[in-house]
Amino acid sequence: MNENIYTPDVVIVGGGVAGLTVALNLAPRKVCVITKNTLGVNTSSSWAQGGIAASIAVEDSHESHIDDTLKTAKGLADETVVRKIIIESNEAIKDLEAIGVQFDKNADGSFNLGLEGAHSFNRIVRSKGDSTGIEIMRGLIEQVKLSDHVTILENVSIDSIMNENNVIYGVVGRFIDKNIPDNHVVIQSSNVVLATGGLGGIYANTTNPRSSYGEGIALAAQAGAILSDMEFVQFHPTGLDFGLDPTPLATEAIRGEGAFLVNQNNERFMIGIHSKNELAPRDIIAQNIFKQIEMGNSVFLDCRHSIGQNFNTSFPQVYSYCLKADIDPANELIPIIPVAHYHIGGVKTDLKGKSSVEGLWCCGEVAATNIHGANRLASNSLLESLVFAKIVANEINSEPLKKQNDTISSSFIKTYKEKTKNRIRAKKYIWQLRSSMMRNLGIVRSQNSILRCLTDIIRIERESHSLSAKLSDMILVSKFIIVGASKRTESRGCHLRADFVSAKPQFLKHIDQTQTTLKKDIQIILNNASQSSKEQILAS
Ligand code: SIN
């Protein structure tokens, strides 16, 4: 058996914007960054188009940005967290510029800021229009490669966090190399930072890489961490409906430049629904596009009158996808669908990025910091990642360096290695799960659809014998979403219940879960299902 053992001061799982920013700010502590792919490839960070929301225009203010964030969040954001993050926005941009990241500027040197849904001012800092993620990742990767304190382990997938009695000992994973059957890698460290991104990959239509399926949430839950707000999955209104998996994004900044949303009859269906029309908050746009589709309509972005011939220079990423689909946005409509894009919930963290497990830190999409509430304001997530990554690094740096735990016994490590599941392909079941989550736990949910999805997941779990590591994580994470969605018997932000269409004051609270509560909660859903809904599901 091959064995690779590392003993850094801190191990960071995830090589996107959050993970790399933590790594850079931890110097001189020794850091291992683990990534499932080659660094910078197939990460949501690199695919980010819109940019970083920052209230830096002369006419703008932090107060206005805070106000827009709180309004969009529908009562569930924590104002202290919102303030903490937004007040740091200028600093976050300066940090990136200091490492050579180039943002779009006007002739006078000021930022050429974009506009996105529900923002009161143009405040999206971006790079080459829609290539912001690529540019930020370029800068961060270059810097990390120059940093002696960082070791990058590529193509490694983590199977478990080693912890006992609320003490972290590190992580156990494997190199993803099809030719070597049992190539474990053990990274011993008393500090583990999860920066693993989101879970869009558990949905059939998503803008996320397929490798984003909630692995970090599953790891944290299995280590005993508390999860929060799992039901809040945000759908982006405009995925490019070109039949691709994952679905490429058409950034909201396109609507910020004046593009319309129309159906096949050329009707601007957002008019009269919200005062900001196509720039209404994301939940409202996504839900109204979904309504159009349910009515049998097709939905398009119409950029002809606004962006026209400038499309290729203003939005080169989106333009290249359109070209491949043989669509010329200057003269033709672009077909779009709403797609799973961002997970608001995740591992519950405090103001320092600490989870409920000592030594386990989280930042970026995997964390539930309470900045986004029930609905995330566009482009607040890269900002959150950058600010919280620095907070986590500073907190770890401020703690005395814990002595390396040389005393972890090989038998202790062996128990974790033995728990690892096969990397077998479970494509059929993965597809069934993604499709059921999309149909039943998508933009609109109801107790019946939730029950239907739970029934599917239980069957998939039974038939697949839970042999695949990826499928097991997807099943676990889906169950947490199912429970959250079932308990939240109201509609709020991106959680829309067809059977409870209004928000209820008693739900101005977060729904927390753990692996221990999950089994009982699933049983409650099954027990409470009425005979008639069971019959309906069996008949459907
Ligand atoms: C976009 O470019 O529309 C996405 C921005 C975001 O999801 O925050």
Side-chain angles (χ1 to χ4, degrees):
M1 190 206 301
N2 296 298
E3 180 141 303
N4 307 275
I5 297 189
Y6 297 82
T7 55
D9 299 325
V10 184
V11 54
I12 300 168
V13 187
V17 164
L20 297 186
T21 306
V22 179
L24 288 176
N25 283 283
L26 274 170
R29 302 262 163 125
K30 296 281 174 227
V31 177
C32 254
V33 175
I34 317 287
T35 165
K36 265 192 283 194
N37 304 299
T38 307
L39 196 58
V41 174
N42 280 344
T43 64
S44 290
S45 294
S46 300
W47 294 2
Q49 292 184 5
I52 306 168
S55 23
I56 53 181
V58 226
E59 65 280 16
D60 199 358
S61 66
H62 290 331
E63 285 311 313
S64 167
H65 189 178
I66 290 165
D67 195 44
D68 289 345
T69 302
L70 292 174
K71 268 193 202 137
T72 305
K74 301 280 165 55
L76 270 193
D78 178 339
E79 186 170 341
T80 313
V81 179
V82 173
R83 283 191 174 276
K84 194 176 172 94
I85 292 173
I86 286 173
I87 280 166
E88 289 301 318
S89 55
N90 303 19
E91 205 55 36
I93 303 295
K94 279 190 200 148
D95 286 349
L96 289 174
E97 291 202 297
I99 60 164
V101 173
Q102 305 271 325
F103 293 113
D104 295 348
K105 299 269 175 83
N106 299 312
D108 65 358
S110 60
F111 286 94
N112 178 356
L113 301 166
L115 179 65
E116 290 182 350
H119 283 278
S120 296
F121 293 96
N122 283 41
R123 59 167 77 103
I124 313 302
V125 177
R126 52 198 177 155
S127 255
K128 295 186 198 89
D130 61 4
S131 312
T132 317
I134 297 173
E135 173 60 12
I136 298 175
M137 285 298 284
R138 181 200 61 72
L140 289 171
I141 291 172
E142 263 178 37
Q143 199 61 25
V144 157
K145 286 190 171 162
L146 293 172
S147 303
D148 290 341
H149 71 288
V150 183
T151 303
I152 305 284
L153 295 179
E154 293 178 317
N155 303 310
V156 170
S157 174
I158 297 303
D159 292 305
S160 33
I161 296 171
M162 298 187 285
N163 74 319
E164 204 171 47
N165 301 327
N166 212 26
V167 177
I168 292 279
Y169 294 99
V171 293
V172 172
R174 278 170 289 174
F175 282 99
I176 306 166
D177 182 340
K178 293 189 180 76
N179 299 318
I180 309 174
D182 191 11
N183 46 358
H184 281 106
V185 51
V186 177
I187 301 126
Q188 294 183 19
S189 175
S190 48
N191 280 302
V192 173
V193 180
L194 292 179
T196 46
L199 51 66
I202 64 171
Y203 282 88
N205 300 118
T206 179
T207 57
N208 294 185
R210 262 178 272 170
S211 52
S212 293
Y213 52 83
E215 183 191 26
I217 290 176
L219 285 170
Q222 282 154 352
I226 299 173
L227 311 179
S228 196
D229 293 336
M230 287 297 292
E231 64 278 23
F232 290 114
V233 179
Q234 189 177 52
F235 281 73
H236 195 288
T238 57
L240 293 168
D241 191 12
F242 297 164
L244 297 174
D245 177 25
T247 306
L249 181 69
T251 174
E252 245 178 73
I254 295 175
R255 277 174 282 132
E257 298 280 329
F260 296 154
L261 284 168
V262 295
N263 61 22
Q264 76 281 4
N265 302 321
N266 226 13
E267 283 160 356
R268 281 181 68 192
F269 55 85
M270 283 309 300
I271 290 185
I273 288 178
H274 191 278
S275 57
K276 287 186 182 255
N277 301 330
E278 280 88 351
L279 285 172
R282 195 170 276 187
D283 55 334
I284 295 173
I285 305 263
Q287 287 161 12
N288 278 281
I289 294 175
F290 183 75
K291 233 188 229 171
Q292 289 286 319
I293 294 171
E294 288 287 281
M295 281 155 58
N297 291 337
S298 301
V299 181
F300 304 89
L301 265 175
D302 183 354
C303 312
R304 296 172 298 182
H305 60 286
S306 49
I307 308 166
Q309 298 299 337
N310 295 330
F311 201 99
N312 58 346
T313 47
S314 300
F315 300 105
Q317 300 292 322
V318 181
Y319 184 71
S320 73
Y321 283 112
C322 289
L323 266 195
K324 283 186 203 141
D326 200 21
I327 286 171
D328 171 13
N331 296 302
E332 291 172 289
L333 299 178
I334 307 172
I336 53 99
I337 39 161
V339 275
H341 180 61
Y342 187 88
H343 188 222
I344 289 174
V347 185
K348 193 180 179 85
T349 50
D350 66 10
L351 282 169
K352 297 174 175 175
K354 280 185 176 182
S355 77
S356 59
V357 173
E358 188 60 35
L360 182 63
W361 309 75
C362 296
C363 58
E365 194 172 344
V366 69
T369 60
N370 289 347
I371 175 191
H372 307 302
N375 186 37
R376 180 181 62 101
L377 187 67
S379 289
N380 263 357
S381 43
L382 278 179
L383 175 63
E384 179 203 13
S385 291
L386 291 163
V387 173
F388 257 95
K390 212 166 155 185
I391 291 173
V392 165
N394 291 343
E395 286 299 324
I396 295 176
N397 277 339
S398 70
E399 292 183 349
L401 191 57
K402 287 181 203 141
K403 206 174 135 358
Q404 259 318 317
N405 205 322
D406 304 323
T407 54
I408 307 178
S409 68
S410 49
S411 60
F412 178 73
I413 294 173
K414 193 162 165 253
T415 57
Y416 284 92
K417 286 188 191 163
E418 282 169 358
K419 277 194 222 164
T420 56
K421 294 200 166 146
N422 292 330
R423 297 251 175 264
I424 59 157
R425 285 157 70 81
K427 227 175 177 175
K428 176 175 99 177
Y429 295 113
I430 285 175
W431 183 251
Q432 288 176 11
L433 180 145
R434 294 181 70 198
S435 153
S436 183
M437 285 296 287
M438 192 72 206
R439 255 183 297 116
N440 299 310
L441 263 297
I443 295 183
V444 184
R445 298 104 186 251
S446 68
Q447 204 56 36
N448 268 358
S449 77
I450 291 168
L451 188 58
R452 200 176 299 124
C453 191
L454 179 57
T455 317
D456 285 344
I457 302 279
I458 291 171
R459 177 189 53 75
I460 290 168
E461 189 171 26
R462 196 181 53 233
E463 284 182 16
S464 66
H465 306 295
S466 296
L467 287 175
S468 148
K470 177 173 175 178
L471 180 61
S472 291
D473 285 355
M474 292 173 99
I475 289 172
L476 179 61
V477 168
S478 300
K479 283 183 180 171
F480 283 120
I481 297 176
I482 286 170
V483 167
S486 170
K487 285 190 170 180
R488 190 169 284 283
T489 50
E490 65 155 0
S491 291
R492 186 183 297 277
C494 63
H495 172 70
L496 176 60
R497 288 275 306 241
D499 43 358
F500 298 98
V501 291
S502 309
K504 296 179 184 166
Q506 66 268 36
F507 277 108
L508 265 175
K509 63 176 186 187
H510 301 279
I511 295 175
D512 290 351
Q513 304 185 56
T514 64
Q515 205 173 16
T516 316
T517 59
L518 185 66
K519 206 169 168 186
K520 187 181 92 242
D521 286 334
I522 294 279
Q523 203 48 55
I524 292 173
I525 300 177
L526 294 171
N527 292 346
N528 286 351
S530 66
Q531 194 52 36
S532 68
S533 58
K534 280 182 197 158
E535 280 162 14
Q536 268 181 38
I537 288 162
L538 285 176
S540 63

